[in-house]
Amino acid sequence: ILADRLGYNSTFLVSAVLSGLASLFVMRFLSSKKKDAATAVKRLGMQQIWSLLQHKPFAAITLLAAVPSKIALTGFLYYSVPLYLKTMGTSQSDIGRIMMVYGLAIILLSSHIAKLADTFGHRRWFVTLGGIASAIGMLVTGLNSGALGVLVGITCLGIAHAIGVSPQLALVGDHCHDAVDQMGQATTTGIFRLIERLGNVSGPIIASILIAKFGFQGAFIGVAVLTLVTTTIFSVLFMRFERRPVLAVREGR
């Protein structure tokens, strides 16, 4: 919207000012915290990353839930949707307004969904439901070539990520106690976020390849199918992970 009203240069300057203010806030916040001299800082290495990926629940959460969520976010919402709406003759301001629906859904629902996940437990069901909702939204956009289909897809994606993204890290804490104890909470979280960023990078690449091969509709359906497949595999694996402790107790192990 700012780019449409003020131009690109002014928008970049506004972005730079906001980023600078955020940096100053972070510096002020961190400087107010006293460093613990007794805490040893470990350098993150490939061995630690590989060790965590060998932990099956961690690998399932990261590769089958977190990474596909970011592929949908960057490949569908940030890359494909603006290009697609532009080809339909939509103005830049209207593109911005349509895309803002995602953020509004996150703001309105995330805190409530997080409380529900903490209250009812079974966080994997929230992650599964979020993946399914995300796939449905992109599938609707792929099957409906109008602006309404795009709006429905973005809304579903926002609702899906409000439901399924926030419980992912909590799910790591629930099912990866031994890995967290070995690596430490900060290192485990850092590796989780690092691998998650692979989805940010690969999303536009995957979407652009699909657009070149099958067009926008085919790309939307392709990312939807990818999300649905990974969500299904994630759900099946976690059903097995959760059955093992129960079977072990029954057998007296």
Side-chain angles (χ1 to χ4, degrees):
I1 296 172
L2 288 174
D4 198 36
R5 296 282 189 257
L6 305 177
Y8 289 109
N9 291 343
S10 298
T11 304
F12 290 145
L13 288 174
V14 170
S15 180
V17 170
L18 292 175
S19 300
L21 292 174
S23 300
L24 291 174
F25 174 79
V26 172
M27 290 174 62
R28 180 180 176 83
F29 176 77
L30 292 177
S31 63
S32 64
K33 300 292 183 181
K34 295 182 179 179
K35 284 190 174 182
D36 186 0
T39 302
V41 179
K42 297 180 180 179
R43 293 189 63 182
L44 184 62
M46 287 301 300
Q47 185 175 1
Q48 293 168 299
I49 296 174
W50 177 245
S51 178
L52 271 179
L53 286 176
Q54 288 179 311
H55 192 279
K56 293 179 181 179
F58 180 86
I61 297 166
T62 307
L63 300 178
L64 297 175
V67 171
S69 296
K70 294 303 180 184
I71 290 175
L73 179 64
T74 60
F76 172 72
L77 180 63
Y78 291 158
Y79 179 82
S80 302
V81 164
L83 293 176
Y84 180 59
L85 291 174
K86 192 68 176 176
T87 62
M88 296 171 60
T90 310
S91 68
Q92 288 187 157
S93 292
D94 288 337
I95 292 173
R97 293 185 183 97
I98 293 172
M99 292 179 66
M100 283 172 63
V101 173
Y102 171 86
L104 289 174
I106 294 289
I107 292 170
L108 294 174
L109 297 176
S110 285
S111 60
H112 302 292
I113 298 297
K115 290 177 182 177
L116 285 175
D118 290 337
T119 301
F120 294 105
H122 303 290
R123 292 186 176 91
R124 76 172 177 90
W125 290 113
F126 286 86
V127 176
T128 298
L129 182 60
I132 294 172
S134 177
I136 290 174
M138 290 183 288
L139 190 61
V140 168
T141 306
L143 297 177
N144 188 323
S145 59
L148 179 61
V150 176
L151 183 61
V152 170
I154 293 174
T155 304
C156 286
L157 187 67
I159 296 172
H161 284 185
I163 295 171
V165 171
S166 58
Q168 289 173 3
L169 193 56
L171 201 61
V172 171
D174 291 342
H175 291 270
C176 307
H177 296 292
D178 49 345
V180 173
D181 291 341
Q182 180 183 358
M183 296 287 181
Q185 181 66 52
T187 301
T188 304
T189 302
I191 292 175
F192 175 84
R193 293 302 184 196
L194 177 65
I195 299 174
E196 184 184 46
R197 295 298 181 268
L198 293 176
N200 286 343
V201 176
S202 59
I205 297 173
I206 293 172
S208 63
I209 293 173
L210 291 174
I211 291 171
K213 292 287 185 180
F214 307 107
F216 283 102
Q217 261 70 43
F220 297 151
I221 294 173
V223 178
V225 170
L226 173 64
T227 303
L228 187 60
V229 169
T230 55
T231 300
T232 302
I233 297 173
F234 167 85
S235 301
V236 171
L237 288 176
F238 257 82
M239 287 176 66
R240 295 181 61 186
F241 295 153
E242 292 179 352
R243 282 184 59 192
R244 287 175 183 173
V246 176
L247 292 174
V249 170
R250 288 177 180 175
E251 294 173 3
R253 296 179 185 173

